[in-house]
Amino acid sequence: MISSMTGYGSASRQVSLGAGVVADLQVECRAVNSRFLDLGFRLPDECRGAESALRELATQSLSRGKVEFRAAWRVNSAAAGAAKSNPHALGAISRDRLDALYTLQEKAQEAFPKAQELSIAEVLRWPGIVSEPRGEEDGWITATVEAGRAALAALMESRHAEGKALVGVLTGITGKMRDIVKVIEPKVPEYVAEYQKKLTERLAEALAAQEQAKAGAELMERIRQEVVLYAVRIDVAEEFARLKTHLQAVDTALAGKGPVGKRLDFLMQELNREANTLSSKSVSEECTQAALELKLFIEQMREQVQNLE
């Protein structure tokens, strides 16, 4: 299935911190456009051990895109109820560090008598005063990997959905381009013949003023040959044939499976080359306008193709 490179997924798991306290772990997976697969991780220290497993999961499922895993956790609200019956559920106070902090406060107040004493909230926030329950490392890694796998699955689902929508948009554009080709291509021989006739008539009028009839006749034949050669050079039958072939290749790629972004990007370059050639060889206003419309549609497709994996 064709996928977009942008998407988002999230999942949560619970981690036991001990003493009846549970942490809610949230893992998010975000993806945006990139030429290659670029993985990033923003994980708290407790979840760092799961990075290699998350990297392996991502490389197995994705081929392009800038993908970032983010994780965050907080103590479950149920911990507040546990704290009422177990004072140590939310953490234990270090008596040694508390005494050391008290000594530091006394010395600071001797130097600054007007300084206010630390509040209870400030004391509890002081580094090392409260040792919070952290749980086992294996529990954090397992929960992070499980949540990351679920978040990645949600990301893939969103990428598939957006990819399906992009396929519809691109298919609609190729249909419009085919309609333009269908209208203009049968008229090209007529345009070329008409241009050849006008050019020959203008040259004939210029030669009519010459008195040397023989030299004029020889020159006229030479001019006729040059006009025929010029008509061949401005014939765009091959360009239309290649244009239709490239459009068919685009539709074939869109109907396939797996990553197609790079292939479609190459086809956009080829389509644009043919449209430029049509424009440069144009011998009528209608053909020029058709070439400009084709280039506009190709640019629209190029913008959408940048989103495909």
Side-chain angles (χ1 to χ4, degrees):
M1 183 180 296
I2 293 178
S3 300
S4 167
M5 280 192 288
T6 59
Y8 173 81
S10 66
S12 61
R13 293 293 186 275
Q14 289 189 330
V15 182
S16 174
L17 303 182
V21 182
V22 175
D24 292 325
L25 173 66
Q26 181 80 16
V27 177
E28 296 180 339
C29 188
R30 305 170 184 266
V32 294
N33 298 351
S34 179
R35 292 182 61 190
F36 309 101
L37 181 59
D38 182 10
L39 300 177
F41 300 88
R42 298 180 62 180
L43 308 176
D45 293 338
E46 296 83 359
C47 304
R48 284 292 177 187
E51 181 174 326
S52 60
L54 293 178
R55 184 179 297 275
E56 183 177 357
L57 287 173
T59 54
Q60 290 175 352
S61 303
L62 308 172
S63 61
R64 293 179 68 191
K66 182 177 178 61
V67 183
E68 183 179 63
F69 285 89
R70 295 183 181 184
W73 66 273
R74 63 181 180 180
V75 175
N76 190 283
S77 58
K84 294 180 180 179
S85 57
N86 183 2
H88 299 290
L90 296 180
I93 295 178
S94 173
R95 186 66 191 182
D96 292 339
R97 289 185 176 272
L98 189 62
D99 292 340
L101 179 60
Y102 181 76
T103 301
L104 288 174
Q105 178 177 254
E106 286 186 329
K107 291 181 178 180
Q109 286 182 324
E110 289 178 2
F112 304 96
K114 295 183 180 181
Q116 295 182 354
E117 294 184 353
L118 293 172
S119 67
I120 293 297
E122 291 171 334
V123 170
L124 294 176
R125 287 199 300 267
W126 195 269
I129 294 297
V130 179
S131 57
E132 298 179 348
R134 292 289 178 178
E136 298 295 331
E137 182 180 6
D138 290 344
W140 282 107
I141 294 176
T142 300
T144 304
V145 172
E146 289 180 356
R149 181 183 288 108
L152 182 61
L155 168 73
M156 294 295 296
E157 185 177 350
S158 67
R159 283 166 60 116
H160 289 329
E162 185 172 344
K164 183 178 180 180
L166 289 176
V167 168
V169 172
L170 293 172
T171 302
I173 294 176
T174 58
K176 294 178 181 178
M177 293 177 67
R178 281 194 176 88
D179 291 340
I180 293 175
V181 172
K182 189 180 297 184
V183 171
I184 296 298
E185 187 178 17
K187 298 180 180 180
V188 170
E190 179 183 343
Y191 294 149
V192 173
E194 183 178 351
Y195 185 78
Q196 181 181 0
K197 181 180 179 181
K198 288 182 179 180
L199 183 59
T200 303
E201 290 175 350
R202 290 176 183 175
L203 292 173
E205 290 175 1
L207 291 172
Q210 295 189 8
E211 297 179 355
Q212 301 176 356
K214 182 177 180 180
E218 293 177 352
L219 185 59
M220 187 63 190
E221 176 61 21
R222 176 62 179 170
I223 290 174
R224 189 190 67 78
Q225 294 175 0
E226 292 293 334
V227 169
V228 171
L229 291 174
Y230 183 72
V232 172
R233 288 198 297 271
I234 63 174
D235 187 9
V236 291
E238 292 185 4
E239 283 72 17
F240 274 116
R242 287 194 292 266
L243 189 65
K244 290 186 290 186
T245 299
H246 296 329
L247 287 174
Q248 181 59 47
V250 170
D251 285 344
T252 299
L254 293 175
K257 298 180 180 180
V260 295
K262 291 183 178 180
R263 175 172 176 76
L264 288 174
D265 190 53
F266 170 75
L267 288 172
M268 293 305 105
Q269 298 177 31
E270 296 301 306
L271 284 169
N272 194 59
R273 182 179 291 110
E274 302 306 330
N276 284 333
T277 304
L278 286 174
S279 179
S280 64
K281 289 186 174 183
S282 175
V283 292
S284 71
E285 182 178 351
E286 188 175 3
C287 190
T288 300
Q289 184 62 33
L292 292 176
E293 291 181 6
L294 289 173
K295 292 173 68 174
L296 176 62
F297 283 132
I298 293 169
E299 185 59 30
Q300 292 177 0
M301 292 179 68
R302 189 197 300 274
E303 293 177 358
Q304 298 297 337
V305 164
Q306 300 305 314
N307 295 323
L308 290 178
E309 183 178 12

